Amino acid sequence: MQNSSFRTLPSWLSWLLLAMFCAHFLAIFSHQFGKEVLPKQVVVLAERYASPWFYQNYEMFAPDPHTQINKFVYRIRVNGEWSAWKDPVYPHLQNLWYNRFGNGGDMVRILTGIADKLYEGRHFIGFMEDSTEEHWFKLPGFILAKRYIEQHESTPTSDTYDAYQVGVLTEVHRIDAEGNMRVMHLFQSYPEKTVAQ
Amino acid sequence: MKQGVAILKAWQTQLEVLPVSEFFIRAIYLSMIWTTTKQLGIGDIVWGSDWLHALYTPFANIDRFAMILNEAAVRVYYLWFALPFLTLLLAGLFGKHNALTRLVVWYLYVALHYGNVEISTGGHHLYQQLLFFHILFFKVDASENRHWASARRLLHHLGFYAIWVNIALLYLASAYWKTFGDMWWNGDALLMSISFAEYSFPGLTKVLTHNTWFLMLGSYAVFVYQLMFAVVIWVKPARKPFLLFGLVFHLAIAFIVGLTDFGIFMIASYSIFLSPTEAAAMLKRFSWSRERAMQWSAR
């Protein structure tokens, strides 16, 4: 109920507050939708306003859902013998299937992030003319994969591993003209990395 | 213009949406308590020194504080962010919050969210905005009639409807970007999304090997829902059945697709669309004490 004894704000102040909210959303809408249509200065200004505090990315499953998923795998060499390729994602994926409220999904996404970087790195190297092993080992995906291996395998000694190799397994999906799902796999490995004992 | 003036005046003299704001705070705080607790189980990787994602620090000045958990030296102290955050959320769940605690909750959320971009979803981005606007959810007694009380009521309303607009923005942007693809137009999107075991269940991916009429219908329904949300949400008679579809959609995202954080965050944020009567009834039902329950039933 409105009460005449209420001391409301001066009209100009109410409108000013409302205008500030409108200006906020104008900048956010420009940032979301205006990249292709607005003048460059406006786009830069909107970007500057939005990032990082009001940055929003809503391109979920857009423009199309993922058509491929990358998986990070690695193997280690012990006494000259290579182990089978290890899939660090699978236990977390099982955890995610078993318990949607657990942190399995978080681990799957973190490890998929490594796989995506390994995949991008493999392509990046493909465009280099004279790539050396050092180029491979400086790639962000490799550095993250190395961190994972160092955290999950015991320190290299003559009894444990003396080399390791990382790879990325890509599962590609395509729906054909008859509506059938087609699945393809692509495996790409990085060079073997010997570790200092 | 006259109507605008009347609305702005009404927003300063009454605060009928207060139970909705209060219930909204509890709903989103509860969802964040769950997500923060489960992530604390792998906290050293998510926010701490065992990180497995690329640290990203492109900003300077005050903006650097948003990405503070991307500084390797700071990540060692991630519990200084996560534990106060959880404490404030728990207090808020019992109705103990004020503008300062809400501001701190927003900041800590930003820092923790940017502390690991790999586990971020659209729901996380949305919460960052909703938590900013929830700072303005001032509790103002109905008897207060000074200018300051009017200002706080007005800001509360502006924050309240800013949350509506921001949720609408999420769907509008999501639908807008989908228009540039092919699969949302030809009906392949739903099958493609759940064809990966990472976004489904192994048994389901084995069964769904062919696009069917119900999968196509599902793709179109989601696309249309997202396209129409920004308009339909303002039409009172259509709002509830429309949101009911959204509820089912987000439950499916949580429990079939496995993006549980996103699904739960969206469902919790839908609480802003309750009516004041419904919100007051919910608060009464979930009150921790008889006095609190009486407070909400008196409204």
Side-chain angles (χ1 to χ4, degrees), chain A residues 107-159:
Chain A
M107 280 308 298
V108 168
R109 276 181 272 161
I110 289 169
L111 295 175
T112 303
I114 298 178
D116 290 342
K117 285 194 171 51
L118 287 171
Y119 181 87
E120 288 159 16
R122 180 66 187 81
H123 280 250
F124 175 76
I125 288 287
F127 285 105
M128 286 182 80
E129 280 188 5
D130 301 310
S131 64
T132 64
E133 284 196 341
E134 280 316 300
H135 287 118
W136 287 86
F137 299 148
K138 281 181 183 163
L139 290 169
F142 183 84
I143 292 167
L144 293 173
K146 180 176 172 236
R147 276 180 72 84
Y148 180 88
I149 295 166
E150 286 171 352
Q151 285 170 17
H152 290 83
E153 300 292 340
S154 50
T155 314
T157 65
S158 55
D159 294 330

Side-chain angles (χ1 to χ4, degrees), chain B residues 111-246:
Chain B
L112 292 166
H113 172 211
Y114 283 139
N116 197 316
V117 290
E118 292 297 349
I119 55 173
S120 169
T121 65
H124 290 81
H125 283 267
L126 179 72
Y127 261 30
Q128 191 165 312
Q129 311 310 312
L130 305 193
L131 287 171
F132 173 74
F133 291 117
H134 103 305
I135 299 168
L136 303 175
F137 282 175
F138 299 103
K139 292 180 213 173
V140 192
D141 198 274
S143 60
E144 283 188 63
N145 62 355
R146 289 174 178 274
H147 283 127
W148 177 228
S150 298
R152 283 182 296 152
R153 283 192 198 97
L154 179 61
L155 286 169
H156 189 129
H157 278 102
L158 289 172
F160 184 86
Y161 287 109
I163 287 176
W164 281 47
V165 172
N166 222 120
I167 297 173
L169 169 70
L170 172 138
Y171 287 115
L172 191 65
S174 188
Y176 171 75
W177 293 115
K178 285 179 174 71
T179 62
F180 291 96
D182 298 320
M183 289 187 210
W184 293 98
W185 295 109
N186 65 21
D188 285 345
L190 195 56
L191 174 63
M192 183 57 81
S193 303
I194 57 174
S195 64
F196 291 95
E198 285 80 354
Y199 293 110
S200 182
F201 288 103
L204 202 60
T205 55
K206 279 180 189 142
V207 175
L208 298 174
T209 55
H210 185 86
N211 208 3
T212 58
W213 67 267
F214 58 86
L215 287 171
M216 290 177 88
L217 187 68
S219 297
Y220 293 132
V222 169
F223 193 24
V224 170
Y225 179 77
Q226 296 193 334
L227 275 172
M228 291 175 64
F229 189 95
V231 175
V232 177
I233 205 63
W234 304 98
V235 183
K236 206 172 176 183
R239 193 180 301 147
K240 264 192 189 165
F242 190 68
L243 288 175
L244 199 63
F245 174 84

Side-chain angles (χ1 to χ4, degrees), chain A:
Chain A
M1 284 290 127
Q2 268 183 255
N3 187 328
S4 56
S5 69
F6 274 95
R7 291 180 206 168
T8 54
L9 299 176
S11 186
W12 66 267
L13 187 55
S14 311
W15 284 103
L16 180 70
L17 289 171
L18 181 65
M20 283 168 68
F21 273 75
C22 293
H24 168 82
F25 279 110
L26 192 67
I28 297 300
F29 273 72
S30 304
H31 180 243
Q32 286 289 327
F33 305 108
K35 279 171 196 152
E36 308 294 330
V37 288
L38 291 172
K40 201 181 169 194
Q41 291 97 321
V42 178
V43 173
V44 171
L45 207 65
E47 169 73 29
R48 186 67 200 86
Y49 176 75
S51 294
W53 305 96
F54 301 115
Y55 177 78
Q56 303 169 62
N57 180 355
Y58 298 132
E59 295 176 39
M60 305 155 287
F61 298 93
D64 282 321
H66 296 286
T67 53
Q68 67 174 60
I69 283 196
N70 299 311
K71 192 180 276 186
F72 151 54
V73 293
Y74 71 95
R75 60 179 183 168
I76 54 173
R77 192 177 65 194
V78 181
N79 299 327
E81 292 284 318
W82 282 103
S83 69
W85 287 95
K86 300 185 182 196
D87 175 358
V89 183
Y90 193 69
H92 302 295
L93 199 51
Q94 281 182 308
N95 181 8
L96 173 65
W97 291 329
Y98 180 72
N99 176 15
R100 290 302 204 205
F101 287 103
N103 55 30
D106 299 313
M107 280 308 298
V108 168
R109 276 181 272 161
I110 289 169
L111 295 175
T112 303
I114 298 178
D116 290 342
K117 285 194 171 51
L118 287 171
Y119 181 87
E120 288 159 16
R122 180 66 187 81
H123 280 250
F124 175 76
I125 288 287
F127 285 105
M128 286 182 80
E129 280 188 5
D130 301 310
S131 64
T132 64
E133 284 196 341
E134 280 316 300
H135 287 118
W136 287 86
F137 299 148
K138 281 181 183 163
L139 290 169
F142 183 84
I143 292 167
L144 293 173
K146 180 176 172 236
R147 276 180 72 84
Y148 180 88
I149 295 166
E150 286 171 352
Q151 285 170 17
H152 290 83
E153 300 292 340
S154 50
T155 314
T157 65
S158 55
D159 294 330
T160 61
Y161 67 101
D162 55 33
Y164 62 89
Q165 187 176 21
V166 304
V168 55
L169 179 65
T170 305
E171 186 176 322
V172 185
H173 289 193
R174 183 176 67 81
I175 300 171
D176 67 17
E178 282 78 44
N180 296 310
M181 179 59 69
R182 302 287 176 206
V183 181
M184 288 153 283
H185 290 95
L186 169 71
F187 179 70
Q188 301 175 95
S189 59
Y190 276 51
E192 296 165 11
K193 171 81 174 163
T194 308
V195 290
Q197 307 259 321

Side-chain angles (χ1 to χ4, degrees), chain B residues 23-33 89 127 130-131 134 163 265 268-271:
Chain B
F23 185 72
F24 169 80
I25 288 177
R26 294 183 196 195
I28 62 168
Y29 277 23
L30 187 62
S31 65
M32 289 189 294
I33 288 170
L89 293 179
Y127 261 30
L130 305 193
L131 287 171
H134 103 305
I163 287 176
F265 281 10
S269 63
Y270 275 18
S271 58

